[in-house]
Amino acid sequence: MNIILLGPPGAGKGTQAQRLVEDRGMVQLSTGDMLRAAVKAGTPVGVEAKAIMDAGGLVSDAIVSALIGERLDAGTGSGAIFDGYPRTAAQAESLDGLLDERGQQLDHVIELEVDEDALVERIVGRFTCAHCGAGYHDTFKQPKVEGVCDVCGATEFKRRPDDNEDTVRTRMAEYRAKTAPIIPIYESRGLLRRVDGMADIAVVTDAIEAILGAR
C-alpha cells in the first residue's frame, strides 16, 4: 500500500507516519531525511545532491525523484508513506511515473486539515526538555512542576529556532501556493480523503486507520 500524507508544516504528518511505521510495518519516505542519509552514505544521488548544496544551490525535482526511486528499489516493506513529497504538481507527475515503472500505484492520499491560527498557536508554543526530549507546550502541556521535566527531572528546556510565528506563517503560505494545488489532482482521481488534523493524535490515527482498512 502506498499513501501520501498532505498538510502544512505542523499538521502532524510525521507523528501519524511514525504510527503507521510501528503499527503496519510501512516505510516513511521523508525526502529531507532521505537526502541527508544519501549524502552520508555517498550514493550517486547523494554525491550529486551534496555538490549542489555545498555550492548553495537548491536540490532539483529530478534529484528528489531519483532519491525516491532509489528508496523504492530498496524495498518498502508493507508499503510507503510519502511525507513531504510530492510538494508540487511536477513532483506529483514524477511520482506517478516512478510508481508505474515499478508496477505500483498510489492507494490513498490523506489530507490533514487544520485551522491556520490554531496551528500557529500549537507550533509556536511547543518546547522540549533539553535533556531527554520530552515535549511540552505553553498552553496545552506545561510540566507538572514548573521548570522541571516530568520525565527526567531536568530543568533546562529548548525551543526550535524556526518555531516562531513569522516563520510558521511563511511556511504555510508556501504550502498553500505550491502544494495545495496538487490536491484537486488527487481528488479528481478519487484518491483524496480528508481528516481533521486538529483532533487529538489518537483520533487522527483512528480516522486514518479507518481509511486504510484491514491490514
Side-chain angles (χ1 to χ4, degrees), residues 39-101:
V39 169
K40 185 177 181 180
T43 69
V45 176
V47 170
E48 185 178 359
K50 185 177 187 301
I52 293 170
M53 291 188 294
D54 286 348
L58 294 175
V59 177
S60 67
D61 279 356
I63 289 178
V64 173
S65 294
L67 196 65
I68 294 286
E70 274 188 354
R71 189 61 188 82
L72 289 173
D73 289 338
T76 54
S78 298
I81 308 157
F82 296 97
D83 170 16
Y85 178 92
R87 294 180 184 270
T88 63
Q91 288 183 357
E93 186 175 346
S94 294
L95 179 58
D96 283 342
L98 288 168
L99 292 172
D100 188 55
E101 288 167 7

Side-chain angles (χ1 to χ4, degrees), residues 10 19 29 47 50 66 68 82 87-88 96 102 107 121 149 151 163 192:
R19 289 193 163 204
L29 302 188
V47 170
K50 185 177 187 301
I68 294 286
F82 296 97
R87 294 180 184 270
T88 63
D96 283 342
R102 292 159 178 80
D107 296 288
E121 181 184 16
C149 176
V151 178
D163 280 356
L192 185 74

